[in-house]
Each structure stands twice: as C-alpha cells, then as structure tokens.
Amino acid sequence: YTNIRLGYRAARLLEPFVAIDYERTGKATDKVTGGEVTGPYALMLKSDSHETAIGAGLMLHLKDTMSFTMRYSRAVDGRNTIVTDALHVRFLYLW
C-alpha cells in the first residue's frame, strides 16, 4: 500500500490537501507446498485485489500542539475489494 498527501498551508490556521491511496493484495500460495491455499481464510488470502482512491481534505491547526483534520476519500479503480467511500476525521493533541 501507499498513501500520498500533498498539502499547502494557505494560512496559519488552514491547510487544504489532496490524497491518493493505493493498496494491492496478491494471490497467496502455501509456502511449504507451493500449492493453493486452503482452510477458513482461503477466500481472503486468494483475493488478488487492488484499489486506488483519491480524496481531499482540510487540516485546521488550532494550536501548536492541536489539530483537527477532515478528509473525504472515494475509490476510482479497484477489483475484488470493498469500494472506499469514506469521511475520515482526526483530532490530534500533542503533549
């Protein structure tokens, strides 16, 4: 997976940004036999899935030690995975 954020601190308080997220899960094989994976997790391990999502957000720098971030993310490409359509919220306080 990879997560890329590109932001610009437009003012002391505001930092808008864009986001790109990519993940890939390859098809699993048994390390001992080299054969097909079996068992209760076989469907998950043989998924061979990928997804690319893009988004945009805004970080508010409330104080030097406190920030609040909101980001919307939506999948634009993918296979064999649940489609991302999410609102992410984060409050960060450093002490």
Side-chain angles (χ1 to χ4, degrees):
Y1 67 89
T2 186
N3 308 104
I4 299 171
R5 306 287 179 267
L6 179 61
Y8 175 72
R9 193 152 182 184
R12 185 175 178 270
L13 178 66
L14 303 174
E15 184 175 341
F17 63 91
V18 293
I20 300 172
D21 302 306
Y22 177 78
E23 68 150 322
R24 181 171 193 85
T25 304
K27 191 177 270 190
T29 57
D30 189 306
K31 289 184 179 183
V32 175
T33 65
E36 185 176 320
V37 174
T38 59
Y41 301 108
L43 289 175
M44 182 175 59
L45 294 174
K46 297 189 297 183
S47 66
D48 194 23
S49 64
H50 72 273
E51 181 189 43
T52 303
I54 60 171
L58 180 66
M59 178 183 283
L60 301 174
H61 297 274
L62 305 173
K63 294 183 179 180
D64 288 341
T65 59
M66 190 183 309
S67 68
F68 178 78
T69 306
M70 288 181 44
R71 173 174 60 100
Y72 176 72
S73 189
R74 174 93 177 152
V76 293
D77 180 43
R79 185 180 85 190
N80 294 340
T81 190
I82 297 171
V83 175
T84 297
D85 186 11
L87 177 65
H88 305 271
V89 178
R90 180 181 78 166
F91 176 76
L92 181 65
Y93 177 72
L94 302 171
W95 66 92

Coordinates of all heavy atoms in Angstrom, one line a residue:
Y1 N 0.8 -1.2 0.0 CA 0.0 0.0 0.0 C 0.9 1.2 0.0 O 2.0 1.2 0.4 CB -1.0 0.0 1.2 CG -0.3 0.1 2.5 CD1 0.0 1.4 3.1 CD2 0.2 -1.0 3.3 CE1 0.6 1.6 4.3 CE2 0.8 -0.8 4.5 CZ 1.0 0.4 5.0 OH 1.6 0.6 6.2
T2 N 0.3 2.3 -0.4 CA 0.9 3.6 -0.3 C -0.1 4.7 -0.1 O -1.3 4.6 -0.5 CB 1.8 3.9 -1.6 OG1 2.5 5.1 -1.4 CG2 0.9 4.1 -2.8
N3 N 0.3 5.7 0.6 CA -0.6 6.8 1.0 C 0.2 8.1 0.7 O 1.2 8.3 1.3 CB -1.1 6.8 2.4 CG -1.7 5.5 2.8 OD1 -1.0 4.7 3.5 ND2 -2.8 5.2 2.4
I4 N -0.3 9.0 -0.2 CA 0.4 10.2 -0.5 C -0.6 11.4 -0.2 O -1.7 11.4 -0.6 CB 0.7 10.2 -2.0 CG1 1.7 9.0 -2.4 CG2 1.4 11.5 -2.4 CD1 1.9 8.8 -3.8
R5 N 0.0 12.4 0.4 CA -0.7 13.6 0.8 C 0.1 14.8 0.3 O 1.3 14.8 0.5 CB -0.9 13.8 2.3 CG -1.6 12.6 3.0 CD -3.0 12.5 2.6 NE -3.7 11.4 3.3 CZ -3.8 10.2 2.7 NH1 -3.4 10.0 1.5 NH2 -4.4 9.2 3.3
L6 N -0.6 15.7 -0.4 CA 0.0 16.9 -0.8 C -0.8 18.1 -0.3 O -1.9 18.3 -0.7 CB 0.1 17.0 -2.4 CG 0.7 18.2 -3.0 CD1 2.2 18.4 -2.5 CD2 0.7 18.1 -4.5
G7 N -0.2 18.9 0.6 CA -0.9 20.0 1.2 C -0.2 21.3 1.0 O 1.0 21.3 0.7
Y8 N -1.0 22.4 1.3 CA -0.4 23.7 1.2 C -1.0 24.5 2.4 O -2.2 24.7 2.5 CB -0.8 24.4 -0.1 CG -0.3 25.8 -0.2 CD1 1.0 26.1 -0.4 CD2 -1.2 26.9 -0.1 CE1 1.5 27.4 -0.4 CE2 -0.8 28.2 -0.2 CZ 0.5 28.4 -0.3 OH 0.9 29.7 -0.4
R9 N -0.1 25.0 3.2 CA -0.6 25.7 4.4 C -0.9 27.1 3.9 O 0.0 28.0 3.9 CB 0.5 25.7 5.5 CG -0.1 26.2 6.8 CD 0.6 25.6 8.0 NE 0.0 26.0 9.2 CZ 0.5 25.7 10.4 NH1 1.6 24.9 10.4 NH2 0.0 26.1 11.5
A10 N -2.2 27.3 3.6 CA -2.6 28.6 3.0 C -2.6 29.7 4.0 O -2.5 30.9 3.6 CB -4.0 28.4 2.4
A11 N -2.8 29.4 5.2 CA -2.9 30.4 6.3 C -2.4 29.7 7.6 O -2.2 28.5 7.6 CB -4.3 30.9 6.5
R12 N -2.3 30.5 8.6 CA -1.8 30.0 9.9 C -2.7 28.9 10.4 O -2.2 27.9 11.0 CB -1.7 31.1 10.9 CG -1.1 30.7 12.2 CD -1.0 31.9 13.2 NE -0.4 31.4 14.4 CZ -1.2 31.0 15.5 NH1 -2.5 31.0 15.4 NH2 -0.6 30.6 16.6
L13 N -4.0 29.0 10.1 CA -5.0 28.0 10.6 C -5.3 26.9 9.6 O -5.5 25.8 10.0 CB -6.3 28.8 11.0 CG -7.4 27.9 11.5 CD1 -7.1 27.3 12.8 CD2 -8.7 28.8 11.6
L14 N -5.3 27.2 8.3 CA -5.8 26.3 7.3 C -4.8 25.6 6.5 O -3.8 26.3 6.0 CB -6.8 27.1 6.4 CG -7.9 27.8 7.0 CD1 -8.7 28.6 6.0 CD2 -8.9 26.8 7.6
E15 N -4.9 24.3 6.2 CA -4.0 23.6 5.4 C -4.9 22.6 4.5 O -5.1 21.5 4.9 CB -3.0 22.8 6.1 CG -2.0 22.1 5.3 CD -0.9 21.4 6.1 OE1 -0.7 21.8 7.2 OE2 -0.2 20.5 5.5
P16 N -5.3 23.0 3.3 CA -6.0 22.1 2.4 C -5.1 21.1 1.8 O -3.9 21.4 1.6 CB -6.7 23.0 1.4 CG -5.9 24.2 1.4 CD -5.3 24.3 2.8
F17 N -5.5 19.9 1.5 CA -4.7 18.9 0.9 C -5.5 17.9 0.0 O -6.7 17.8 0.1 CB -3.9 18.1 1.9 CG -4.8 17.3 2.9 CD1 -5.1 16.0 2.6 CD2 -5.3 17.8 4.0 CE1 -5.9 15.2 3.4 CE2 -6.1 17.1 4.9 CZ -6.4 15.8 4.6
V18 N -4.7 17.3 -0.9 CA -5.3 16.2 -1.7 C -4.6 14.9 -1.3 O -3.5 14.9 -0.8 CB -5.1 16.5 -3.3 CG1 -6.0 17.7 -3.7 CG2 -3.7 16.7 -3.6
A19 N -5.3 13.8 -1.6 CA -4.8 12.5 -1.1 C -5.0 11.4 -2.2 O -5.9 11.4 -2.9 CB -5.5 12.1 0.1
I20 N -4.0 10.5 -2.3 CA -4.0 9.4 -3.2 C -3.7 8.2 -2.3 O -2.6 8.2 -1.7 CB -3.1 9.5 -4.4 CG1 -3.5 10.7 -5.2 CG2 -3.2 8.2 -5.2 CD1 -2.5 11.0 -6.3
D21 N -4.5 7.1 -2.4 CA -4.2 5.9 -1.6 C -4.3 4.7 -2.6 O -5.2 4.6 -3.4 CB -5.3 5.7 -0.5 CG -5.3 6.8 0.5 OD1 -4.2 7.2 1.0 OD2 -6.4 7.4 0.7
Y22 N -3.4 3.8 -2.5 CA -3.3 2.6 -3.3 C -3.0 1.4 -2.4 O -2.2 1.5 -1.6 CB -2.3 2.7 -4.4 CG -2.2 1.5 -5.3 CD1 -3.1 1.2 -6.2 CD2 -1.1 0.6 -5.1 CE1 -3.0 0.1 -7.0 CE2 -1.0 -0.5 -5.8 CZ -2.0 -0.8 -6.8 OH -1.9 -1.9 -7.6
E23 N -3.7 0.3 -2.7 CA -3.4 -0.9 -2.0 C -3.6 -2.1 -2.9 O -4.4 -2.1 -3.9 CB -4.4 -1.1 -0.8 CG -5.8 -1.4 -1.2 CD -6.5 -2.3 -0.2 OE1 -5.9 -3.2 0.3 OE2 -7.7 -2.0 0.0
R24 N -2.8 -3.1 -2.7 CA -2.8 -4.3 -3.5 C -2.5 -5.5 -2.6 O -1.7 -5.5 -1.8 CB -1.7 -4.3 -4.6 CG -1.8 -5.5 -5.5 CD -0.9 -5.3 -6.7 NE -1.2 -6.4 -7.7 CZ -2.2 -6.3 -8.6 NH1 -2.9 -5.3 -8.7 NH2 -2.4 -7.3 -9.4
T25 N -3.4 -6.6 -2.8 CA -3.2 -7.8 -2.1 C -3.0 -8.9 -3.2 O -3.9 -9.1 -4.0 CB -4.4 -8.2 -1.3 OG1 -4.7 -7.1 -0.4 CG2 -4.2 -9.4 -0.5
G26 N -1.9 -9.5 -3.2 CA -1.6 -10.6 -4.2 C -2.2 -11.9 -3.8 O -2.7 -12.1 -2.7
K27 N -2.3 -12.8 -4.8 CA -2.8 -14.1 -4.6 C -1.8 -14.9 -3.7 O -0.6 -15.0 -4.0 CB -3.0 -14.8 -5.9 CG -3.8 -16.1 -5.8 CD -4.1 -16.7 -7.2 CE -5.4 -16.1 -7.7 NZ -5.9 -16.8 -8.9
A28 N -2.3 -15.6 -2.7 CA -1.4 -16.3 -1.7 C -1.2 -17.7 -2.2 O -2.1 -18.4 -2.8 CB -2.0 -16.3 -0.3
T29 N 0.0 -18.2 -1.9 CA 0.3 -19.7 -2.1 C 0.9 -20.2 -0.8 O 1.5 -19.5 0.0 CB 1.3 -19.9 -3.2 OG1 2.5 -19.1 -2.9 CG2 0.7 -19.4 -4.6
D30 N 0.7 -21.5 -0.6 CA 1.3 -22.2 0.6 C 2.8 -22.2 0.5 O 3.3 -22.7 -0.5 CB 0.7 -23.6 0.7 CG 1.0 -24.3 2.0 OD1 2.2 -24.3 2.3 OD2 0.1 -24.8 2.6
K31 N 3.5 -21.7 1.5 CA 5.0 -21.6 1.4 C 5.6 -23.0 1.5 O 6.7 -23.1 1.0 CB 5.5 -20.7 2.6 CG 5.2 -19.3 2.4 CD 5.8 -18.4 3.5 CE 5.5 -17.0 3.2 NZ 6.1 -16.1 4.2
V32 N 5.0 -23.9 2.1 CA 5.6 -25.3 2.2 C 5.4 -26.1 0.9 O 6.4 -26.6 0.4 CB 5.0 -26.0 3.4 CG1 5.5 -27.5 3.5 CG2 5.2 -25.3 4.7
T33 N 4.2 -26.1 0.4 CA 3.9 -27.0 -0.8 C 3.9 -26.2 -2.1 O 4.1 -26.8 -3.1 CB 2.5 -27.6 -0.6 OG1 1.5 -26.6 -0.7 CG2 2.4 -28.4 0.7
G34 N 3.8 -24.9 -2.0 CA 3.7 -24.1 -3.2 C 2.4 -24.1 -3.9 O 2.2 -23.6 -4.9
G35 N 1.5 -24.9 -3.3 CA 0.1 -25.0 -3.9 C -0.9 -24.0 -3.4 O -0.5 -23.0 -2.8
E36 N -2.1 -24.3 -3.8 CA -3.2 -23.4 -3.5 C -3.5 -23.4 -1.9 O -3.4 -24.4 -1.3 CB -4.5 -23.9 -4.2 CG -5.6 -23.0 -4.0 CD -6.8 -23.5 -4.9 OE1 -6.6 -24.0 -6.0 OE2 -7.9 -23.5 -4.4
V37 N -3.8 -22.2 -1.4 CA -4.1 -22.0 0.0 C -5.5 -22.6 0.3 O -6.4 -22.4 -0.5 CB -4.1 -20.5 0.4 CG1 -4.6 -20.3 1.8 CG2 -2.7 -19.9 0.2
T38 N -5.6 -23.4 1.4 CA -6.9 -24.0 1.8 C -7.1 -23.6 3.2 O -6.3 -23.1 3.9 CB -6.8 -25.5 1.7 OG1 -5.8 -26.0 2.5 CG2 -6.6 -26.0 0.3
G39 N -8.3 -23.8 3.7 CA -8.7 -23.5 5.1 C -9.7 -22.4 5.2 O -10.2 -21.9 4.2
P40 N -10.0 -22.0 6.4 CA -11.0 -21.0 6.6 C -10.7 -19.6 6.0 O -11.6 -18.8 5.7 CB -11.2 -20.9 8.1 CG -9.9 -21.4 8.7 CD -9.4 -22.4 7.7
Y41 N -9.5 -19.3 5.8 CA -9.1 -18.0 5.3 C -8.7 -18.0 3.8 O -8.2 -17.0 3.3 CB -7.9 -17.4 6.1 CG -8.2 -17.2 7.5 CD1 -7.6 -18.1 8.5 CD2 -9.1 -16.3 8.0 CE1 -7.9 -18.0 9.8 CE2 -9.4 -16.1 9.3 CZ -8.8 -17.0 10.2 OH -9.0 -16.9 11.6
A42 N -9.1 -19.1 3.1 CA -8.7 -19.3 1.7 C -9.2 -18.2 0.8 O -8.5 -17.6 0.0 CB -9.1 -20.6 1.2
L43 N -10.5 -17.8 1.0 CA -11.1 -16.8 0.1 C -10.5 -15.5 0.3 O -10.2 -14.7 -0.7 CB -12.6 -16.7 0.4 CG -13.5 -17.9 0.0 CD1 -14.9 -17.7 0.4 CD2 -13.4 -18.1 -1.5
M44 N -10.1 -15.1 1.5 CA -9.5 -13.8 1.8 C -8.1 -13.8 1.3 O -7.6 -12.8 0.7 CB -9.5 -13.5 3.3 CG -8.9 -12.2 3.7 SD -9.0 -11.8 5.4 CE -8.2 -13.1 6.2
L45 N -7.3 -14.9 1.4 CA -5.9 -14.9 1.0 C -5.7 -15.1 -0.5 O -4.7 -14.8 -1.0 CB -5.2 -16.1 1.7 CG -5.1 -15.9 3.2 CD1 -4.5 -17.2 3.9 CD2 -4.3 -14.7 3.6
K46 N -6.8 -15.5 -1.2 CA -6.7 -15.7 -2.7 C -7.3 -14.5 -3.4 O -7.7 -14.7 -4.6 CB -7.3 -17.0 -3.1 CG -6.6 -18.2 -2.5 CD -7.1 -19.5 -3.1 CE -8.5 -19.7 -2.8 NZ -9.0 -21.0 -3.3
S47 N -7.5 -13.4 -2.8 CA -8.3 -12.3 -3.3 C -7.7 -11.7 -4.6 O -8.4 -11.2 -5.5 CB -8.6 -11.3 -2.3 OG -7.4 -10.6 -1.9
D48 N -6.4 -11.5 -4.6 CA -5.7 -10.8 -5.7 C -6.4 -9.5 -6.0 O -6.9 -9.3 -7.1 CB -5.6 -11.7 -6.9 CG -4.6 -11.1 -8.0 OD1 -3.7 -10.4 -7.6 OD2 -4.8 -11.5 -9.2
S49 N -6.5 -8.6 -5.0 CA -7.3 -7.4 -5.1 C -6.4 -6.2 -5.2 O -5.3 -6.2 -4.8 CB -8.2 -7.3 -3.9 OG -7.5 -7.1 -2.7
H50 N -7.0 -5.1 -5.6 CA -6.4 -3.8 -5.6 C -7.4 -2.7 -5.6 O -8.5 -2.9 -6.0 CB -5.4 -3.6 -6.8 CG -6.1 -3.4 -8.1 ND1 -6.5 -4.5 -8.9 CD2 -6.5 -2.3 -8.8 CE1 -7.1 -4.0 -10.0 NE2 -7.2 -2.7 -9.9
E51 N -7.0 -1.5 -5.2 CA -7.9 -0.3 -5.2 C -7.1 0.9 -5.2 O -6.0 1.0 -4.5 CB -8.8 -0.3 -4.0 CG -9.8 0.8 -4.0 CD -10.5 1.0 -2.7 OE1 -9.9 0.8 -1.6 OE2 -11.7 1.3 -2.8
T52 N -7.6 1.9 -5.9 CA -7.0 3.3 -5.9 C -8.1 4.2 -5.5 O -9.2 4.2 -6.0 CB -6.5 3.7 -7.3 OG1 -5.5 2.7 -7.7 CG2 -5.8 5.0 -7.3
A53 N -7.8 5.1 -4.5 CA -8.8 6.0 -4.0 C -8.2 7.4 -4.0 O -7.0 7.6 -3.7 CB -9.3 5.7 -2.6
I54 N -9.0 8.4 -4.3 CA -8.5 9.8 -4.2 C -9.4 10.6 -3.3 O -10.5 10.1 -3.0 CB -8.5 10.5 -5.6 CG1 -9.9 10.5 -6.2 CG2 -7.5 9.8 -6.6 CD1 -10.0 11.4 -7.5
G55 N -8.9 11.6 -2.8 CA -9.6 12.4 -1.8 C -9.1 13.8 -1.6 O -8.0 14.2 -2.2
A56 N -9.8 14.6 -0.8 CA -9.4 15.9 -0.5 C -9.8 16.2 1.0 O -10.7 15.6 1.5 CB -10.1 16.9 -1.4
G57 N -9.0 17.1 1.6 CA -9.3 17.4 3.0 C -8.8 18.7 3.4 O -8.2 19.5 2.7
L58 N -9.1 19.0 4.7 CA -8.7 20.2 5.3 C -8.2 20.0 6.7 O -8.9 19.3 7.5 CB -9.8 21.2 5.3 CG -9.6 22.6 6.0 CD1 -8.6 23.4 5.1 CD2 -10.9 23.3 6.1
M59 N -7.0 20.4 7.0 CA -6.4 20.4 8.3 C -6.5 21.7 9.0 O -6.1 22.7 8.4 CB -5.0 19.9 8.3 CG -4.4 19.8 9.7 SD -2.6 19.3 9.7 CE -2.8 17.6 9.4
L60 N -7.0 21.8 10.2 CA -7.1 23.0 11.0 C -6.1 23.0 12.1 O -6.1 22.1 12.9 CB -8.5 23.2 11.6 CG -9.7 23.2 10.6 CD1 -11.0 23.3 11.4 CD2 -9.6 24.4 9.7
H61 N -5.1 23.9 12.0 CA -4.1 24.0 13.1 C -4.6 24.9 14.2 O -4.5 26.1 14.1 CB -2.8 24.5 12.5 CG -2.2 23.7 11.4 ND1 -1.4 22.6 11.7 CD2 -2.4 23.7 10.1 CE1 -1.0 22.0 10.6 NE2 -1.6 22.7 9.6
L62 N -5.2 24.3 15.2 CA -5.9 25.0 16.3 C -4.9 25.7 17.2 O -5.0 26.8 17.6 CB -6.8 24.1 17.0 CG -7.9 23.4 16.1 CD1 -8.6 22.4 16.9 CD2 -8.8 24.4 15.5
K63 N -3.8 25.0 17.5 CA -2.7 25.5 18.3 C -1.4 24.8 17.8 O -1.5 23.9 17.0 CB -2.9 25.1 19.8 CG -4.0 25.8 20.5 CD -4.1 25.4 22.0 CE -5.2 26.1 22.7 NZ -5.3 25.7 24.1
D64 N -0.3 25.1 18.4 CA 1.0 24.4 18.0 C 0.9 22.9 18.3 O 1.5 22.1 17.7 CB 2.2 25.0 18.7 CG 2.5 26.4 18.1 OD1 2.1 26.7 17.0 OD2 3.2 27.1 18.8
T65 N 0.1 22.5 19.3 CA 0.0 21.1 19.8 C -1.3 20.5 19.5 O -1.6 19.4 19.9 CB 0.3 21.1 21.3 OG1 -0.7 21.8 22.0 CG2 1.6 21.5 21.7
M66 N -2.2 21.1 18.7 CA -3.5 20.6 18.5 C -4.0 20.8 17.0 O -3.8 21.9 16.5 CB -4.5 21.3 19.4 CG -5.9 20.7 19.5 SD -7.0 21.6 20.5 CE -6.1 21.8 22.1
S67 N -4.5 19.8 16.4 CA -5.0 19.9 15.0 C -6.3 19.1 14.9 O -6.5 18.1 15.6 CB -4.0 19.6 14.0 OG -3.7 18.2 14.1
F68 N -7.1 19.5 13.9 CA -8.3 18.7 13.5 C -8.3 18.6 12.0 O -8.1 19.6 11.3 CB -9.5 19.5 14.0 CG -10.8 18.9 13.7 CD1 -11.3 17.8 14.4 CD2 -11.6 19.3 12.6 CE1 -12.5 17.2 14.1 CE2 -12.8 18.7 12.3 CZ -13.2 17.6 13.0
T69 N -8.5 17.4 11.5 CA -8.5 17.1 10.1 C -9.7 16.3 9.7 O -10.2 15.4 10.3 CB -7.3 16.2 9.8 OG1 -6.1 16.8 10.3 CG2 -7.1 16.0 8.3
M70 N -10.3 16.8 8.5 CA -11.4 16.1 7.9 C -11.0 15.8 6.4 O -10.4 16.7 5.8 CB -12.7 16.9 7.9 CG -13.3 17.0 9.3 SD -14.8 18.0 9.3 CE -15.7 17.4 7.9
R71 N -11.3 14.6 6.0 CA -10.9 14.2 4.6 C -12.0 13.3 4.0 O -12.5 12.4 4.7 CB -9.6 13.4 4.6 CG -9.2 12.8 3.2 CD -7.8 12.3 3.2 NE -7.6 11.2 4.1 CZ -7.7 9.9 3.8 NH1 -7.9 9.5 2.6 NH2 -7.4 9.0 4.7
Y72 N -12.4 13.5 2.8 CA -13.3 12.6 2.1 C -12.5 11.8 1.1 O -11.6 12.4 0.4 CB -14.4 13.4 1.3 CG -15.3 12.5 0.5 CD1 -16.2 11.7 1.1 CD2 -15.2 12.5 -0.9 CE1 -17.0 10.9 0.4 CE2 -16.0 11.7 -1.6 CZ -16.9 10.9 -1.0 OH -17.7 10.0 -1.7
S73 N -12.7 10.5 1.0 CA -12.0 9.7 0.1 C -13.0 8.8 -0.7 O -13.9 8.2 -0.1 CB -11.0 8.8 0.9 OG -10.2 8.1 0.1
R74 N -12.7 8.6 -2.0 CA -13.6 7.8 -2.9 C -12.7 7.0 -3.8 O -11.8 7.5 -4.4 CB -14.5 8.8 -3.7 CG -15.3 8.1 -4.7 CD -16.7 7.8 -4.1 NE -17.5 7.2 -5.2 CZ -18.5 6.4 -5.0 NH1 -18.8 6.1 -3.8 NH2 -19.2 6.0 -6.0
A75 N -13.1 5.7 -4.0 CA -12.4 4.8 -4.9 C -12.6 5.2 -6.4 O -13.7 5.6 -6.7 CB -12.8 3.4 -4.7
V76 N -11.6 5.2 -7.2 CA -11.7 5.5 -8.6 C -11.4 4.2 -9.5 O -11.7 4.2 -10.6 CB -10.8 6.6 -9.1 CG1 -11.3 7.9 -8.4 CG2 -9.3 6.4 -8.7
D77 N -10.8 3.2 -8.9 CA -10.4 2.0 -9.6 C -10.3 0.9 -8.5 O -9.8 1.1 -7.4 CB -9.1 2.2 -10.3 CG -8.7 0.9 -11.1 OD1 -9.6 0.3 -11.7 OD2 -7.5 0.6 -11.1
G78 N -10.6 -0.3 -8.9 CA -10.4 -1.4 -7.9 C -11.0 -2.7 -8.5 O -11.8 -2.8 -9.4
R79 N -10.6 -3.8 -7.8 CA -11.1 -5.2 -8.1 C -11.0 -6.0 -6.9 O -10.0 -6.0 -6.1 CB -10.2 -5.8 -9.2 CG -10.7 -7.1 -9.7 CD -9.8 -7.7 -10.8 NE -8.7 -8.4 -10.1 CZ -7.7 -8.8 -10.7 NH1 -7.5 -8.6 -12.0 NH2 -6.7 -9.5 -10.0
N80 N -12.1 -6.8 -6.7 CA -12.1 -7.8 -5.6 C -12.0 -7.2 -4.2 O -11.3 -7.8 -3.4 CB -11.1 -9.0 -5.8 CG -11.4 -9.8 -7.0 OD1 -12.5 -9.8 -7.5 ND2 -10.4 -10.5 -7.5
T81 N -12.5 -6.0 -4.0 CA -12.4 -5.4 -2.7 C -13.7 -4.5 -2.5 O -14.4 -4.2 -3.4 CB -11.1 -4.6 -2.5 OG1 -11.0 -4.2 -1.2 CG2 -11.1 -3.4 -3.4
I82 N -13.9 -4.2 -1.2 CA -15.0 -3.2 -0.9 C -14.6 -1.8 -1.4 O -13.5 -1.4 -1.2 CB -15.2 -3.2 0.6 CG1 -15.7 -4.6 1.0 CG2 -16.3 -2.2 1.0 CD1 -15.8 -4.8 2.5
V83 N -15.5 -1.1 -2.0 CA -15.2 0.2 -2.6 C -15.2 1.2 -1.4 O -16.0 1.3 -0.6 CB -16.3 0.6 -3.6 CG1 -16.1 2.0 -4.1 CG2 -16.3 -0.4 -4.7
T84 N -14.1 2.0 -1.5 CA -14.0 3.1 -0.5 C -14.9 4.3 -0.8 O -14.9 4.8 -1.9 CB -12.5 3.6 -0.4 OG1 -11.7 2.5 0.0 CG2 -12.4 4.8 0.5
D85 N -15.6 4.7 0.2 CA -16.5 5.9 0.1 C -16.6 6.4 1.5 O -17.5 6.1 2.2 CB -17.8 5.6 -0.5 CG -18.7 6.9 -0.7 OD1 -18.1 8.0 -0.6 OD2 -19.9 6.7 -1.0
A86 N -15.6 7.2 2.0 CA -15.5 7.4 3.4 C -15.1 8.9 3.7 O -14.5 9.6 3.0 CB -14.4 6.5 4.0
L87 N -15.6 9.2 4.9 CA -15.2 10.5 5.5 C -14.3 10.2 6.7 O -14.8 9.5 7.6 CB -16.5 11.3 6.0 CG -16.2 12.6 6.7 CD1 -15.6 13.6 5.7 CD2 -17.5 13.2 7.3
H88 N -13.1 10.7 6.7 CA -12.2 10.5 7.8 C -12.1 11.7 8.7 O -11.9 12.8 8.1 CB -10.8 10.1 7.2 CG -10.8 9.0 6.3 ND1 -10.6 7.7 6.7 CD2 -10.9 9.0 4.9 CE1 -10.7 6.9 5.6 NE2 -10.9 7.6 4.5
V89 N -12.1 11.5 10.0 CA -12.0 12.6 10.9 C -10.9 12.3 11.9 O -10.8 11.2 12.4 CB -13.3 12.9 11.7 CG1 -13.1 14.0 12.7 CG2 -14.4 13.2 10.7
R90 N -10.0 13.3 12.2 CA -8.9 13.1 13.2 C -8.7 14.3 14.0 O -8.6 15.4 13.5 CB -7.6 12.8 12.4 CG -6.4 12.5 13.4 CD -5.2 12.3 12.6 NE -4.7 13.5 12.1 CZ -3.4 13.7 11.6 NH1 -2.6 12.7 11.5 NH2 -3.0 14.9 11.2
F91 N -8.6 14.1 15.3 CA -8.2 15.1 16.3 C -6.9 14.7 16.9 O -6.8 13.6 17.4 CB -9.3 15.3 17.3 CG -8.9 16.3 18.4 CD1 -9.0 17.6 18.1 CD2 -8.5 15.9 19.6 CE1 -8.7 18.6 19.1 CE2 -8.1 16.8 20.6 CZ -8.2 18.2 20.3
L92 N -5.9 15.6 16.8 CA -4.6 15.3 17.3 C -4.2 16.3 18.4 O -4.3 17.5 18.1 CB -3.6 15.3 16.2 CG -2.2 14.9 16.5 CD1 -2.0 13.5 17.0 CD2 -1.3 15.2 15.3
Y93 N -3.8 15.8 19.5 CA -3.3 16.6 20.6 C -1.9 16.1 21.0 O -1.8 14.9 21.4 CB -4.3 16.7 21.8 CG -3.8 17.5 22.9 CD1 -3.7 18.9 22.8 CD2 -3.3 16.9 24.1 CE1 -3.3 19.6 23.9 CE2 -2.9 17.6 25.2 CZ -2.8 19.0 25.1 OH -2.4 19.8 26.1
L94 N -0.9 16.9 21.0 CA 0.4 16.5 21.4 C 0.8 17.2 22.7 O 0.5 18.3 22.9 CB 1.5 16.9 20.3 CG 1.3 16.4 18.9 CD1 2.2 17.1 18.0 CD2 1.5 14.9 18.9
W95 N 1.4 16.4 23.6 CA 1.8 17.0 24.9 C 3.2 16.7 25.2 O 3.9 15.9 24.6 CB 0.9 16.6 26.0 CG 1.0 15.1 26.4 CD1 1.8 14.5 27.3 CD2 0.2 14.1 25.8 NE1 1.6 13.2 27.3 CE2 0.6 12.9 26.4 CE3 -0.8 14.0 24.8 CZ2 0.1 11.6 26.0 CZ3 -1.3 12.8 24.4 CH2 -0.9 11.6 25.1

